[in-house]
Amino acid sequence: MEQKQPIVVMAKPVGSRCNMRCSYCYYLEKGKFSSHETQTVMSTELLEKMIKETVDASPGPTVSFVWHGGEPTLAGIPFFRKALQLERRHLPPGWNAWNNLQTNGLLLTDEWAAFLQRHHFDVGISIDGDELVHDTNRKDLGKHGTFARVTEAIEKCLKAGIRPDLLCTVNAETVKDPLRVYRALRELHTGWIQFIPILVKEENGPVVTENAPEVHLSKESITPEQYGDFLCTVFDEWITHDVGACDVQLFAEMAHVLTGSTASLCWMAETCGRVLIAEEDGAVYACDHFVDAEHRLGYLTQESFETLADKEEQKAFGLSKKTALTQECRNCPFLTICNGACPKDRFGLSKDGEPGQYYLCGGLKKFFAHAVTPLVRVMGWIKDGMDPEKAMFRVRKLL
């Protein structure tokens, strides 16, 4: 019998509904694809079907659920209490569920923090550096800044014993001062930071022609040069001051690859297609960045999750990450690290004018060329028993 391939369900319990209006958000408008006239909270019946069939489709013994949005906390604690009950009901003996909540933090009260800690949720909170930078783009429905409330939510999590991941976007504002952004996040003392580049296509956005056929990107989007400079600056600060004290997702994933392991991030993997979206109306989509009619695999009300996940078009979608690489990518010395990056952003041109190049490729190449050697050396020194402080002191001479 063919071995089942691991899957992750990214569940959207309230669809794209959100209590914030971030200027670069790509997901809010996805509600137009819902079969419901007004998006509501996923029904208990649909929730149970999604959980049961995700378990059935999984090779085990860990079944992964990422609760996302929109803003998933709008569903309320009772919804998640029911989800945990249903997970326990349908997990086979010896199996467990991994739950991850991705949130903007505005609704995270002490009660929420205690609930998430008690039930071992991993938590990701979105925050873009310090107050001035964050509040430029991340506003609430009343167009007010949200930084104070987000940092309060982080403090509540830390007090409850949760060390949340900090999700920071690399946008036209945050790229202006990488050190300011990184240091502000580091000083929140959660120990884990993710940097997510913003590239949003927009019909009326500025026209981009460099490294790409004519395309319109939002004013919050970044260039390859900005991305590369941001990553190099943050890396130099991290590897000379924070190794062992704070992890940055991209640097940690690079380390895994450079030591012979495989990256866990979908955009760095050789293929993709095993992180599927389950919307509040039961629609299942190929990927969080491909929620549209073309990539709707079907509905949980009509087919099983396993059937939807294993459709030929979904398999082709996942494999195309590898098969659609440009020749420049295939010849790249860093291919094993990024594997051509995310297909959603492959609207650039290769050096030979071939379409389908990752738009931010130039920035990633600059970063990899800058970071691989010092990262390998520091990892080697620490593996050989050197104290991280001494390794960081030593690597400063290389940069």
Side-chain angles (χ1 to χ4, degrees), residues 43-56 63 65 78-97 99 119:
S43 70
T44 300
E45 294 75 21
L46 185 57
L47 176 64
E48 179 164 20
K49 191 173 193 294
M50 180 194 73
I51 289 173
K52 179 183 183 304
E53 293 183 355
T54 301
V55 172
D56 291 344
V63 185
F65 297 95
F79 173 89
F80 287 95
R81 189 174 289 118
K82 173 59 70 174
L84 292 170
Q85 292 173 354
L86 294 171
E87 287 174 0
R88 289 191 293 268
R89 178 183 300 174
H90 294 291
L91 285 169
W95 285 32
N96 63 84
N99 288 287
H119 296 290

Side-chain angles (χ1 to χ4, degrees), residues 315-331:
K315 292 179 180 179
F317 172 85
L319 286 172
S320 68
K321 186 175 189 297
K322 179 180 180 180
T323 60
L325 290 171
T326 64
Q327 194 59 47
E328 181 181 344
C329 271
R330 296 178 192 277
N331 295 335

Side-chain angles (χ1 to χ4, degrees), residues 89-238:
R89 178 183 300 174
H90 294 291
L91 285 169
W95 285 32
N96 63 84
W98 174 75
N99 288 287
N100 178 287
L101 180 75
Q102 300 289 319
T103 176
N104 60 37
L106 294 194
L107 295 179
L108 287 190
T109 60
D110 288 328
E111 181 185 9
W112 262 109
F115 171 81
L116 295 169
Q117 190 279 333
R118 184 165 58 251
H119 296 290
H120 310 292
F121 274 71
D122 281 349
V123 178
I125 298 180
S126 297
I127 180 170
D128 281 354
D130 66 10
E131 184 168 12
L132 181 62
V133 179
H134 175 97
D135 284 348
T136 299
N137 292 309
R138 299 189 64 81
K139 301 182 186 297
D140 63 17
L141 299 184
K143 299 183 179 180
H144 302 114
T146 59
F147 179 82
R149 283 171 284 174
V150 174
T151 52
E152 183 180 357
I154 293 170
E155 290 170 2
K156 289 181 186 297
C157 286
L158 290 171
K159 183 179 177 181
I162 299 170
R163 298 187 73 188
D165 302 342
L166 302 182
L167 283 68
C168 175
T169 64
V170 185
N171 60 66
E173 190 65 29
T174 53
V175 294
K176 293 177 181 178
D177 196 339
L179 283 182
R180 174 179 176 173
V181 168
Y182 172 70
R183 289 169 178 169
L185 298 174
R186 179 185 63 193
E187 293 311 306
L188 291 170
H189 302 295
T190 68
W192 185 263
I193 301 169
Q194 299 181 35
F195 290 112
I196 305 165
I198 292 297
L199 285 176
V200 179
K201 290 184 179 180
E202 194 175 79
E203 288 185 9
N204 299 318
V207 179
V208 175
T209 55
E210 186 178 358
N211 304 319
E214 186 173 301
V215 64
H216 295 263
L217 294 177
S218 70
K219 61 183 178 61
E220 295 85 9
S221 299
I222 58 171
T223 67
E225 293 74 19
Q226 288 174 324
Y227 190 42
D229 290 343
F230 181 94
L231 292 177
C232 289
T233 301
V234 171
F235 176 82
D236 287 354
E237 174 78 359
W238 172 80

